[in-house]
Amino acid sequence: MGSVLAAVNTMAAISFDNEIRGLLTVLLGAAILMGSVWLIISTNTGFRLGTLIAISAIFGWTVMMAFIWSLYGIGLQGARPTWEVQAIHIGNPSISDNEADPPPAILDDLPNPIPCETLGDQDQDCLPKAIEVVRVLGNSQHNDELDYIDVEAISADVTAFNDALADGDPRKLMTGGSEEAQECEFEKSPNGTSVKEQYLECEVQRLAEEQRIRNEDLTLSELKGVAPELTDDAERLGWLALGDWNLETTQAAGEAITAASDYLVQADLGFGESDDQSNTFVVLNAYQQGGKPDRLNNGVWERVSNKVITSAMPRHPTNYTVVQVQRSIYHPPVAGQAPSPAEADTEEPVISVLLRRNLGRFRLPGILVTIGSGLLFLASLLMLHTRDLEVRRRLEGEGSG
C-alpha cells in the first residue's frame, strides 16, 4: 500500500500539461508521421530494406532542416554574442597611477578624457568638448539647433499636461501659495498674475534650463551620431587624436553600454546604492577597435568588395569597445516632477570600461546537427549501395548458373 501511495503522489506532482502531454504529443506525432511512412515502405520492400530506406530519408531531411537552421540562425540555437568586461580603469587610461595594477596596454593610445579649455591647443593632452566643435566647425544650422530652445512649445506642453490632471493629483501645479512657487525667481512681476500662472512660468523656465544643460553636455559620441562630418573634421585637424581607436556613436555602442552599466552597478564602486549622494553615472563617449573592416562608402563596388573580403576571413578579428562614464551630480528628487537630467560631475574621475566581443556559439548546434546528420545520411546511403551491389552479384550468379 505504501508503494501505491508513493506512486500516486509522484504522478500527482507531475505537470501533465507541460511534461507528460508534451512528451506524448511528440512521440505520437513521430509515430504517426514517420511510422506510417515506414509501415508503407516496409510492406512493399520488406522489413530490413524498408527500415533502412526510412532511416536514410529521416537523416536526409534532418540535414536539410539543420542546414536551414545554420543559414538563418533559427531552430536549435547556442549562446548569443555578448560583450564581456575585461578591465576597468579610473582616471586617464593612458597614464597608470597604480604601478601594481596598470591599465591594459590597449588603452595607451586612448585620448585623455579631461576636456580642453581651448579648442585646437596642441600642447594640451585633453579631449575637445563636443559643443566647442560645433561652435567652431559647425555651420549656422548646427548652431541654431544647439542654441534654439522652443519655450512656447514647452509652455504649451506644460499647460496641456497640467490642465488634464485632476485637482487632487499630486503632480498638478499648485493653485494657491506654495513653497515651490515662492522660491521660484520670475522674470516678470507677480503683480497682476495668479500664483498658478507664476508657477507655470517657473516650471517652463526649469524645463528650458534642463534643455540647455542637455545641449551643453553634448558628448562626442552623440555628436558623431547626428553630425559625423564635424567629428571627422576635428580628427582630421588633429584636435581629436584617437590613435588606433574609432569614435563610436551612442546608438552603435548601445549593447556595450548596457553591459558596462550592468557591470558597474554590480561592481564595488558605489553605484546602485541608496544613499544621499549620487549613485548614478553619465555615459560620456564610446570607442571601438578591431573587428571586421567597415565599408568606406555605400557604393556598389565597395559593398561587394567588403562583403567578399569579410566573408573570406577565416577568423573574426577581436573586437574591443571602451565605454567611459563619470559620476553624476546629485539632485534631490522633487515630488510631482520628473527627475532632473543627469549632469556629469567634472570633479569626479572618468571610469573607462574595456569590453571584448564574445561571438558566442549561436549557429554551432545547427552546424553540428548538420554534420552529424550528413555523416549518418552518407552511411545509410553506403549501406543501401552495398546491399544493391550484393543483390546484383547474386542475381548475376544465378543467371550464369
Side-chain angles (χ1 to χ4, degrees):
M1 182 61 67
S3 301
V4 174
L5 293 177
V8 171
N9 292 333
T10 303
M11 296 295 293
I14 298 176
S15 176
F16 280 82
D17 289 338
N18 298 329
E19 298 174 2
I20 302 300
R21 181 174 298 179
L23 179 62
L24 293 177
T25 301
V26 174
L27 294 178
L28 183 61
I32 293 176
L33 295 177
M34 293 183 290
S36 60
V37 176
W38 167 80
L39 181 62
I40 294 174
I41 297 175
S42 298
T43 55
N44 289 273
T45 61
F47 175 77
R48 294 183 179 180
L49 182 58
T51 302
L52 189 57
I53 294 175
I55 290 176
S56 302
I58 291 174
F59 286 132
W61 171 80
T62 308
V63 170
M64 294 186 293
M65 179 189 65
F67 178 74
I68 294 176
W69 286 356
S70 306
L71 189 63
Y72 292 98
I74 57 178
L76 189 60
Q77 300 174 355
R80 291 180 175 271
T82 57
W83 286 100
E84 297 179 348
V85 177
Q86 301 297 307
I88 293 179
H89 184 71
I90 300 176
N92 187 353
S94 60
I95 299 177
S96 176
D97 297 331
N98 186 3
E99 296 181 357
D101 187 18
I106 195 174
L107 301 179
D108 291 344
D109 54 350
L110 267 180
N112 188 357
I114 299 177
C116 300
E117 297 180 358
T118 304
L119 184 63
D121 190 352
Q122 303 297 329
D123 296 334
Q124 295 182 358
D125 182 16
C126 56
L127 192 68
K129 295 181 180 180
I131 189 171
E132 295 297 333
V133 174
V134 177
R135 300 289 189 210
V136 176
L137 301 178
N139 53 29
S140 58
Q141 181 180 359
H142 293 146
N143 287 276
D144 292 341
E145 292 178 355
L146 196 62
D147 295 333
Y148 179 69
I149 299 177
D150 195 350
V151 180
E152 295 182 358
I154 296 176
S155 178
D157 293 340
V158 172
T159 304
F161 179 77
N162 182 71
D163 294 340
L165 298 176
D167 293 336
D169 197 311
R171 296 173 296 175
K172 190 176 184 64
L173 301 179
M174 297 296 182
T175 57
S178 62
E179 296 180 359
E180 293 85 352
Q182 295 175 3
E183 293 177 356
C184 292
E185 297 180 359
F186 303 100
E187 295 180 357
K188 61 182 181 180
S189 174
N191 297 330
T193 59
S194 64
V195 176
K196 179 180 179 180
E197 293 176 349
Q198 298 172 22
Y199 196 79
L200 284 172
E201 183 179 356
C202 177
E203 182 70 8
V204 170
Q205 292 178 3
R206 184 183 68 84
L207 295 176
E209 179 64 18
E210 290 183 356
Q211 182 63 39
R212 186 194 64 80
I213 293 175
R214 293 190 187 96
N215 295 342
E216 293 290 335
D217 291 342
L218 181 70
T219 63
L220 291 172
S221 291
E222 293 173 343
L223 180 60
K224 176 79 172 181
V226 296
E229 65 277 4
L230 298 183
T231 55
D232 294 340
D233 291 341
E235 187 174 0
R236 178 176 53 82
L237 295 173
W239 299 345
L240 183 59
L242 300 178
D244 294 333
W245 293 91
N246 301 311
L247 182 65
E248 196 169 20
T249 64
T250 306
Q251 293 80 6
E255 189 177 350
I257 292 174
T258 302
S261 301
D262 294 341
Y263 186 87
L264 290 175
V265 171
Q266 298 175 3
D268 188 14
L269 296 176
F271 298 119
E273 300 176 356
S274 300
D275 49 25
D276 295 335
Q277 298 179 355
S278 176
N279 59 351
T280 60
F281 51 84
V282 178
V283 178
L284 301 180
N285 297 306
Y287 305 94
Q288 182 271 339
Q289 180 183 137
K292 290 187 175 181
D294 297 330
R295 294 196 306 266
L296 300 178
N297 52 65
N298 290 326
V300 177
W301 172 250
E302 178 63 22
R303 295 170 66 91
V304 173
S305 60
N306 181 266
K307 184 67 175 179
V308 172
I309 292 174
T310 54
S311 300
M313 289 183 176
R315 297 182 60 87
H316 292 269
T318 306
N319 190 4
Y320 291 99
T321 293
V322 172
V323 178
Q324 292 184 337
V325 302
Q326 195 171 28
R327 190 179 294 274
S328 60
I329 299 176
Y330 176 72
H331 296 285
V334 179
Q337 293 184 359
S340 302
E343 184 178 359
D345 189 355
T346 56
E347 300 296 330
E348 294 289 335
V350 175
I351 302 175
S352 300
V353 183
L354 175 64
L355 302 101
R356 184 182 63 183
R357 185 66 168 175
N358 184 355
L359 298 178
R361 298 292 185 269
F362 186 64
R363 288 180 169 83
L364 182 61
I367 294 174
L368 294 178
V369 173
T370 303
I371 296 174
S373 300
L375 295 176
L376 294 175
F377 178 63
L378 293 177
S380 60
L381 292 182
L382 181 61
M383 294 176 64
L384 285 173
H385 180 65
T386 304
R387 184 186 180 280
D388 290 341
L389 293 179
E390 179 65 19
V391 171
R392 182 181 302 177
R393 186 185 64 80
R394 292 185 180 183
L395 290 176
E396 291 177 354
E398 293 177 359
S400 61

